[in-house]
Amino acid sequence: MKIAKAGVMGWPVDHSLSPALHGFWLTAHGVEGSYQRLPVPPDQLGQALSELHEKGFVGVNLTVPHKEAALGFMQRVTPDARRIGAVNTVFIDNEGALTGTNTDAFGFINNLRAGAPRWRANNGPAVVLGAGGAARAVCFALQNAGVAEIRVLNRTAARAQGLADALGAPLVAVSWDEAKDALKDAALLVNTTTLGMKGQPRLEIDLAPLPVTAVVNDIVYVPLETPLLAAARARGNTVVDGLGMLLYQAQPSFAGWFGVKPEVTSALRAHVLASMA
Ligand code: ATR
């Protein structure tokens, strides 16, 4: 049998955790497949994608800086990827046609539900910090889940407004100065900015107005417990770290490429964490 090949295209791609993650599942399920790092500079993306089929690839993940640009090189784009405006997973059919999908929203919502089983979309408003690509996937997931109000706060207010305009109701752009009011009755707070990440400035936000019943999720996972999550945990909020989003977003990709639905387990988590050390 021919080995089904997959991988992750990025520039740079050395730090991607996806090879550890998919490698774990390939071994665990005894799949005749491989998953490799594919360093591809931005100006070679189209060429690299077009050569995948003849090289035996069944698909790839895309990471920084290719997720948005890839839309232009797909033969087909799923509605989710179109709406999120980015492709993170590509499926290649037997004729070599490329389908671009996005599993980030799936990864976010499944991680949230796993980490905070009592969270419900109708628990109350969600506050999303940030308005970049990650925020867009998170807001899309919350919109699909049926959250009645999604408040987007961003350093650059125009970007928050742009995101609210792009996805529509129930997103509303809220000025960072109004964070206090935005948090007052929130049931969920999600940080999608890079603040709090190792080497980046801290996220400065006063959690005092946030109900202790709210769930706090940081999509930053280096460190695993960000200062935001530590502060939220200390005051009694349920916290959900960001590593799970990465693990869950990989599930439908692996299933589509290799025909086996893998599970997100503590062993997988431990393996990926060990690969980060
Ligand atoms: P991604 O695709 O991972 O979301 P991005 O599009 O670069 O990355 O978005 C990064 C987010 O972090 C943005 O919301 C950005 O705010 P701006 O839109 O104002 O740039 C936010 N961010 C990054 N550094 C920041 C900082 N020092 N202070 C406040 N917000 C910051």
Side-chain angles (χ1 to χ4, degrees):
M1 201 185 104
K2 231 170 80 182
I3 286 195
K5 288 160 78 173
V8 54
M9 273 188 186
W11 188 258
V13 77
D14 314 358
H15 295 294
S16 172
L17 296 176
S18 294
L21 166 48
H22 287 283
F24 179 90
W25 280 335
L26 286 169
T27 306
H29 293 284
V31 173
E32 289 282 325
S34 70
Y35 189 98
Q36 53 195 275
R37 289 176 209 278
L38 302 164
V40 173
D43 62 346
Q44 288 169 32
L45 178 63
Q47 179 73 20
L49 285 167
S50 71
E51 290 169 358
L52 286 172
H53 179 59
E54 67 199 36
K55 291 182 176 168
F57 280 82
V58 291
V60 284
N61 281 130
L62 296 168
T63 188
V64 179
H66 300 318
K67 287 184 170 191
E68 285 89 10
L71 281 166
F73 299 112
M74 300 291 119
Q75 274 73 55
R76 214 186 126 245
V77 174
T78 61
D80 282 20
R82 182 72 66 199
R83 209 149 156 72
I84 296 171
V87 172
N88 81 329
T89 304
V90 178
F91 295 112
I92 306 171
D93 70 15
N94 291 336
E95 277 73 53
L98 307 179
T99 297
T101 71
N102 194 305
T103 64
D104 286 334
F106 172 94
F108 166 76
I109 203 77
N110 282 283
N111 180 45
L112 177 63
R113 292 195 192 283
R118 286 203 291 230
W119 178 84
R120 295 286 179 281
N122 64 7
N123 284 0
V127 173
V128 175
L129 306 177
R136 195 163 163 131
V138 165
C139 288
F140 175 73
L142 293 173
Q143 184 180 41
N144 271 352
V147 174
E149 190 178 342
I150 304 168
R151 299 166 180 160
V152 183
L153 279 68
N154 194 47
R155 170 180 62 180
T156 311
R159 252 185 127 192
Q161 190 58 54
L163 177 55
D165 291 344
L167 291 185
L171 274 71
V172 284
V174 175
S175 136
W176 200 279
D177 303 338
E178 293 164 44
K180 194 174 160 201
D181 280 346
L183 292 177
K184 214 165 51 191
D185 57 345
L188 174 67
L189 170 64
V190 187
N191 174 47
T192 75
T193 74
T194 47
L195 297 171
M197 193 184 285
K198 190 177 160 198
Q200 298 293 319
R202 237 181 124 99
L203 170 64
E204 302 291 348
I205 189 163
D206 180 9
L207 293 181
L210 184 72
V212 288
T213 50
V215 174
V216 179
N217 176 202
D218 202 330
I219 73 161
V220 169
Y221 55 81
V222 182
L224 202 52
E225 176 143 297
T226 60
L228 170 68
L229 293 185
R233 188 195 298 281
R235 64 194 292 281
N237 293 99
T238 296
V239 301
V240 180
D241 70 52
L243 184 62
M245 178 173 170
L246 178 82
L247 306 182
Y248 281 99
Q249 63 77 34
Q251 232 180 0
S253 314
F254 187 95
W257 298 325
F258 302 117
V260 181
K261 186 172 178 273
E263 294 303 325
V264 172
T265 59
S266 50
L268 171 72
R269 219 177 130 82
H271 177 78
V272 173
L273 276 172
S275 80
M276 287 163 77

